Amino acid sequence: CLIRHAVDSLCRSRFRQNIRSSLPEGQFIEAFGRSDVEVAEIVNSLGLHVLVDIDYYKNRMQILVFRPCQIQVNFLAHPGTSGADYIDFIVVDKIVAPPENYEFFTEKFLLMHHHYQVNDHAAMYPRKEQDRAQLRRKENLPQDAVVLCNFNSLYKFEPNSFSVWMRVMKRAPKSVLWLVSDGPECDENLRHQARERGVDPSRIILADRADFDKHIQRAAAADVFLDSFVYNAHTTAADVLWSGGIPVVTLPDDIMHTRLAAGVSYGYHPSAQATTACSREDYEHIATVLATNERARLGLRNALLEAGPEGSPLFDSPAWIADFENTLVMAIEAQIGGYASKDKLNVISGQ
């Protein structure tokens, strides 16, 4: 059963329609226009074993305050603890949330075998043979350039990682940085920041936003993905690995949202972990080598393509579903059995 909260009554997104059509009649319940108390009463009346919250902005957390379900789970949307004592578990993996970080979460861990994020690229965005030269022409990218990219929203950018990108570009004079436009004012600010750091702003190429399928296909025109430090790429990291085996240079830190791209790389294949840095200096070195050494860059990309993406655990939805279901069953058994209290059990794993 799915309790769905749309931003308004006219929400008609592709994802929403796919989900609704896949559920039996009466199992898609629209929360829009209903109060938190009403939704909590509906959930409680259904007698569900598990309630999973995937609301990124946590706008309706008040529903969970009423404890309409015996087991309440924080999953996927916001990469971090809810801080709420009425949410029992959080779905994670051993990279984004190592067990030694358990004390920083109010929830108990539901530990997935591979990356905790589910990806449906194989079903939604089947891979196609791409003519990269043609892609670059369509996206106004120079044919002979090393295309560094980051497709995160602008709110994930911060000065430290941007400064590293600019230093890498100065060492790789044929490189350009391909970003997604957030509007004229933001675009001008980015170009200004590049100029302040000694990089010709014309080397910052800003793409218009596009539908998911078009964006994932065009991402294959890039050479290297440079991750941001404070808030990592997540779905965008999976997108570039799927589209063309593009290496993701990332630097994990202690907090969950700084470990997302490392988790994606780990879930993809061991070869993808070669670009997971251990320090900012290491990050800059890896990025510089890939931007200036064609042999290293192509060798790694070929290794990533040979490793998947179709055969990668990161994109194996049936295996992920089986793992997720098994982990939830274990959570139910632990909660009912009375040994899932915070002081008795830290981690539940279906592995």
Side-chain angles (χ1 to χ4, degrees):
C1 179
L2 180 73
I3 312 296
R4 173 65 162 82
H5 173 62
V7 293
D8 58 54
S9 59
L10 300 177
C11 179
R12 295 292 183 270
S13 75
R14 177 184 177 187
F15 294 113
R16 185 178 192 270
Q17 295 304 316
N18 286 345
I19 292 170
R20 184 163 199 162
S21 65
S22 69
L23 291 171
E25 187 67 29
Q27 290 198 15
F28 185 100
I29 300 171
E30 180 58 76
F32 180 81
R34 289 186 166 105
S35 70
D36 293 336
V37 173
E38 288 177 293
V39 176
E41 288 175 343
I42 292 170
V43 173
N44 187 255
S45 70
L46 293 169
L48 304 178
H49 289 98
V50 181
L51 179 61
V52 181
D53 179 30
I54 58 171
D55 178 15
Y56 182 87
Y57 296 105
K58 305 299 181 189
N59 289 326
R60 306 292 305 263
M61 279 188 70
Q62 184 68 29
I63 295 168
L64 285 81
V65 173
F66 295 114
R67 267 290 180 182
C69 194
Q70 183 178 3
I71 299 174
Q72 303 190 149
V73 179
N74 175 15
F75 173 52
L76 192 61
H78 172 71
T81 182
S82 65
D85 59 6
Y86 49 84
I87 298 181
D88 306 294
F89 296 99
I90 182 171
V91 180
V92 295
D93 61 65
K94 65 182 180 181
I95 302 300
V96 300
E100 58 266 27
N101 287 358
Y102 175 72
E103 63 181 304
F104 304 116
F105 289 75
T106 56
E107 306 92 344
K108 297 176 285 292
F109 282 5
L110 292 180
L111 197 64
M112 298 290 288
H113 183 61
H114 291 290
H115 188 50
Y116 80 103
Q117 176 179 263
V118 62
N119 295 293
D120 62 350
H121 291 64
M124 296 289 290
Y125 316 111
R127 294 188 73 248
K128 304 172 184 176
E129 288 297 323
Q130 300 275 27
D131 183 334
R132 297 186 76 220
Q134 184 178 354
L135 276 177
R136 289 195 171 190
R137 282 193 294 271
K138 287 174 65 176
E139 297 301 324
N140 298 315
L141 296 167
Q143 292 293 336
D144 61 345
V146 177
V147 179
L148 311 174
C149 72
N150 184 305
F151 299 126
N152 288 335
S153 296
L154 191 60
Y155 72 86
K156 291 190 176 183
F157 291 10
E158 32 70 35
N160 290 326
S161 55
F162 193 82
S163 294
V164 171
W165 302 345
M166 296 302 103
R167 290 199 294 271
V168 172
M169 291 182 73
K170 286 196 280 189
R171 297 190 190 103
K174 288 189 175 181
S175 65
V176 297
L177 180 61
W178 191 19
L179 308 173
V180 176
S181 172
D182 257 345
E185 184 176 359
C186 292
D187 295 351
E188 182 52 40
N189 284 340
L190 285 169
R191 293 188 181 102
H192 171 73
Q193 292 298 323
R195 187 184 299 111
E196 288 286 299
R197 290 165 174 78
V199 173
D200 184 343
S202 67
R203 295 172 63 191
I204 309 296
I205 299 176
L206 293 142
D208 292 331
R209 294 196 172 273
D211 292 337
F212 282 114
D213 49 356
K214 180 185 175 184
H215 170 68
I216 289 172
Q217 299 299 332
R218 73 180 179 181
D223 291 303
V224 181
F225 187 100
L226 300 180
D227 196 17
S228 44
F229 291 158
V230 174
Y231 198 150
N232 282 180
H234 201 189
T235 304
T236 45
D239 290 344
V240 297
L241 285 166
W242 174 261
S243 69
I246 297 164
V248 176
V249 184
T250 188
L251 174 61
D253 206 336
D254 293 331
I255 306 170
M256 184 172 174
H257 55 70
T258 68
R259 304 182 64 84
L260 301 174
V264 169
S265 297
Y266 174 83
Y268 183 82
H269 190 266
S271 59
Q273 299 170 50
T275 53
T276 297
C278 58
S279 67
R280 290 188 180 181
E281 294 75 19
D282 189 36
Y283 176 106
E284 189 167 337
H285 172 72
I286 293 169
T288 300
V289 169
L290 292 175
T292 57
N293 187 322
E294 183 178 18
R295 183 176 179 181
R297 184 171 63 251
L298 294 180
L300 179 55
R301 182 167 186 156
N302 288 337
L304 293 174
L305 287 171
E306 288 173 9
E310 289 88 347
S312 167
L314 185 66
F315 300 110
D316 188 346
S317 298
W320 186 95
I321 292 167
D323 188 23
F324 186 65
E325 290 175 341
N326 190 36
T327 303
L328 287 181
V329 167
M330 292 187 70
I332 294 169
E333 292 173 346
Q335 197 84 343
I336 292 174
Y339 58 87
S341 62
K342 187 75 173 178
D343 60 342
K344 293 182 181 178
L345 182 68
N346 291 356
V347 177
I348 291 177
S349 172
Q351 298 177 35

